[in-house]
Amino acid sequence: MIVCVAVVGHQNNPLYLQSFTEADDALKLHHIVHCSLDVIDERVNNPKRSAPTLNETFLGLLYPTENYKVYGYLTNTKVKFIMVTTDLDVKDADARNFFRKFHAAYVDAVSNPFHVPGKKIASRSFGARVSTIVKSFGSGITS
């Protein structure tokens, strides 16, 4: 089950963060998302990266915690997508499919002529679409 998703701008500014648990866990999940930015920066700026991984957008498992697993995705414009899940056996194909849908929803949201680039995403339709994607995670449902 996905407990939190986030979109973080190229300057590590939060653009969207939504948790899908009780309010008690929200602060802990915000902290996990913030900590994952260091892992993403480390992977992206690693000079020993091989040629096939240089253009890979899916970063895979960033790190596991005691109760969660954190996955990452990096766009060509350095916007970061983060997913925090309680599932201990998430398939890479499922995670890739989730990020592909999440990225498409993000592109649609920022393509709105009324959206100001670099500002938080406040679109209700984006939030509803993300919730639908999160609910269908791992079930094989396409949306």
Side-chain angles (χ1 to χ4, degrees), residues 122-138:
S123 168
R124 283 186 290 221
S125 62
F126 176 72
R129 190 167 169 190
V130 169
S131 294
T132 302
I133 295 167
V134 166
K135 287 176 188 168
S136 71
F137 177 72

Side-chain angles (χ1 to χ4, degrees), residues 53-106:
T53 61
L54 284 175
N55 295 326
E56 180 65 37
T57 57
F58 177 64
L59 300 173
L61 178 66
L62 298 176
Y63 66 93
T65 65
E66 188 174 316
N67 299 320
Y68 305 110
K69 282 193 171 184
V70 182
Y71 291 85
Y73 180 92
L74 181 69
T75 68
N76 292 335
T77 58
K78 305 297 183 218
V79 174
K80 302 155 192 84
F81 296 101
I82 298 164
M83 170 180 70
V84 182
T85 180
T86 56
D87 292 338
L88 299 179
D89 57 344
V90 174
K91 296 180 180 77
D92 271 358
D94 289 340
R96 285 177 189 269
N97 192 30
F98 169 80
F99 281 120
R100 182 183 53 77
K101 292 176 186 177
F102 193 23
H103 189 185
Y106 167 77

Side-chain angles (χ1 to χ4, degrees), residues 4-124:
C4 182
V5 294
V7 178
V8 181
H10 68 280
Q11 296 175 333
N12 289 342
N13 54 322
L15 300 176
Y16 181 81
L17 197 135
Q18 178 66 44
S19 59
F20 300 95
T21 62
E22 299 87 32
D24 297 345
D25 289 344
L27 185 60
K28 179 170 51 171
L29 294 170
H30 288 229
H31 179 68
I32 289 172
V33 167
H34 183 72
C35 291
S36 67
L37 297 176
D38 292 335
V39 178
I40 292 173
D41 286 340
E42 181 181 320
R43 287 198 186 176
V44 170
N45 297 325
N46 184 359
K48 297 179 183 174
R49 294 177 67 191
S50 61
T53 61
L54 284 175
N55 295 326
E56 180 65 37
T57 57
F58 177 64
L59 300 173
L61 178 66
L62 298 176
Y63 66 93
T65 65
E66 188 174 316
N67 299 320
Y68 305 110
K69 282 193 171 184
V70 182
Y71 291 85
Y73 180 92
L74 181 69
T75 68
N76 292 335
T77 58
K78 305 297 183 218
V79 174
K80 302 155 192 84
F81 296 101
I82 298 164
M83 170 180 70
V84 182
T85 180
T86 56
D87 292 338
L88 299 179
D89 57 344
V90 174
K91 296 180 180 77
D92 271 358
D94 289 340
R96 285 177 189 269
N97 192 30
F98 169 80
F99 281 120
R100 182 183 53 77
K101 292 176 186 177
F102 193 23
H103 189 185
Y106 167 77
V107 168
D108 288 346
V110 298
S111 295
N112 181 340
F114 298 107
H115 174 73
V116 178
K119 298 292 182 189
K120 290 190 178 198
I121 301 170
S123 168
R124 283 186 290 221

